[in-house]
Amino acid sequence: MNEAAEPAEVSGAASGSAELASAEVSELLDELRDLRQGLDPTAREKLDPLLAPEAVNYATGIALERVPALFDGADPDRDDSKEASKARYLQRMIFLRETRLKTPMTRRLSGRTPRQYTLGEIARGSGNSRQTIHYVFSDGRLTSPENTARIERFFGVLPGFCSYTELEALVAYLRPIVRDLRFLSKVAEALEHGVTKVAARSQDLSQDNAMDEILSAVIASRRGKRR
């Protein structure tokens, strides 16, 4: 199953909270551009896959065609009306089933193409009844928050994935990336001032593999410049 990023503490229930979250998106995007620009070319290449539309779409459920627009400053959809929330919930559930596929694990089946989980497999794996799973995926009906959270965990995302507005999902995705890049910027600054050893685990990096590679690229580049 897929690892999920820590959810953002964002609520779209009140207009004031939504305005603050919208402002945070703009701030995060501005800071992200500045931090990316400050990276060496090799490190920048390691970061770019995290910001690709396909990666953002997979991690958040935001429509693929919306991602470039949002990165260019388009206003995120923050409609939390009952109708919009239901439509988004069902769309995200279908999205999870279409994108988090079952990969055969045994050697005998290793050549088979990954496939969608059956409703029975989702029921057994999530600890929900078959009836509940049928209601959601076949009848397009909502279920309880507890049942929803079990389904989300089964597919490897944290509770809240299916209910986030576009605004909330974008903040949840960008916030840890920007936080980690701030840390890497400090690492680069420390290296500029003659620090010779850097603890890669001095911060819990949210995107472990990608950020480790970026950190390694930063260290290698700074060491190369000192030679």
Side-chain angles (χ1 to χ4, degrees):
M1 296 187 187
N2 302 286
E3 294 297 326
E6 180 181 356
E9 295 177 1
V10 181
S11 172
S15 60
S17 297
E19 291 298 333
L20 288 173
S22 184
E24 182 175 5
V25 167
S26 297
E27 292 171 1
L28 287 170
L29 287 171
D30 288 343
E31 186 173 2
L32 178 61
R33 294 187 188 98
D34 290 342
L35 290 168
R36 179 186 177 279
Q37 191 63 32
L39 293 172
D40 295 292
T42 301
R44 202 177 302 157
E45 290 177 4
K46 302 292 185 181
L47 171 65
D48 285 347
L50 290 178
L51 308 179
E54 294 79 8
V56 180
N57 164 255
Y58 182 86
T60 65
I62 294 173
L64 185 62
E65 64 274 12
R66 285 283 294 158
V67 176
L70 292 170
F71 274 67
D72 286 340
D75 289 334
D77 175 20
R78 55 193 185 195
D79 187 354
D80 60 354
S81 66
K82 184 176 180 180
E83 295 76 13
S85 296
K86 180 179 180 181
R88 181 168 53 246
Y89 172 93
L90 296 173
Q91 182 272 326
R92 295 269 176 85
M93 279 291 181
I94 293 171
F95 176 81
L96 285 176
R97 193 180 180 206
E98 290 178 343
T99 57
R100 275 63 172 177
L101 303 178
K102 181 175 183 178
T103 303
M105 301 300 292
T106 65
R107 183 176 299 177
R108 181 174 63 85
L109 300 176
S110 60
R112 294 189 181 181
T113 303
R115 60 167 176 81
Q116 290 187 6
Y117 286 93
T118 67
L119 298 187
E121 288 170 337
I122 298 172
R124 290 191 298 274
S126 66
N128 285 312
S129 68
R130 285 175 174 267
Q131 186 179 43
T132 294
I133 300 302
H134 180 81
Y135 282 162
V136 173
F137 290 98
S138 296
D139 294 348
R141 295 164 60 179
L142 304 181
T143 185
S144 70
E146 293 78 15
N147 291 339
T148 297
R150 293 189 191 103
I151 297 171
E152 289 169 329
R153 282 194 293 267
F154 171 77
F155 283 116
V157 297
L158 291 175
F161 181 92
C162 292
S163 60
Y164 275 169
T165 63
E166 195 175 69
L167 175 64
E168 292 167 338
L170 193 59
V171 171
Y173 187 71
L174 292 177
R175 187 185 286 169
I177 292 176
V178 170
R179 181 198 67 202
D180 289 349
L181 288 175
R182 287 179 192 139
F183 166 70
L184 296 186
S185 178
K186 292 179 180 179
V187 169
E189 184 177 342
L191 291 169
E192 288 284 2
H193 287 81
V195 175
T196 57
K197 292 184 179 180
V198 177
R201 288 300 176 185
S202 60
Q203 173 167 317
D204 183 18
L205 301 177
S206 60
Q207 304 280 350
D208 284 342
N209 293 334
M211 288 299 174
D212 280 349
E213 290 180 2
I214 295 170
L215 177 58
S216 297
V218 168
I219 293 173
S221 174
R222 299 300 172 177
R223 285 175 175 170
K225 288 181 180 180
R226 292 201 302 268
R227 289 174 182 171

